[in-house]
Amino acid sequence: MATTFEQALFVFGHLKQAIKATEELNELGIELTRYALDDKRFDRIKVLEELTDVEIMLKQLQLIFNFTEDELLSMKCKKILKLQLAVDDALMGNK
């Protein structure tokens, strides 16, 4: 049986869902900008909602581009290592 994510891609199509992903990412960006600017419209629950929407869309993008869990895990490890190196540099006063 197809997952909800697979069904959404079948019903709405890959292109529409890719566009929807950008919409959700932009909505999260708006909320994060409100946070950064100490905007009175900032709402922590709205960040949670948008973050959840983005996670749902990321799963669909994973399916659209046929990325395996192993591919994602490998890339995450590389990116986390890169972040750790940047943190280490910053802590040592190199940046």
Side-chain angles (χ1 to χ4, degrees), residues 4-18:
T4 301
F5 302 122
E6 292 166 332
Q7 290 175 351
L9 290 171
F10 177 77
V11 170
F12 302 118
H14 289 193
L15 291 177
K16 184 170 183 183
Q17 291 308 90

Side-chain angles (χ1 to χ4, degrees), residues 38-49:
D38 200 24
D39 188 313
K40 65 182 177 185
R41 294 172 295 171
F42 171 73
D43 181 349
R44 182 178 171 275
I45 298 303
K46 187 68 175 162
V47 172
L48 177 61
E49 291 173 2

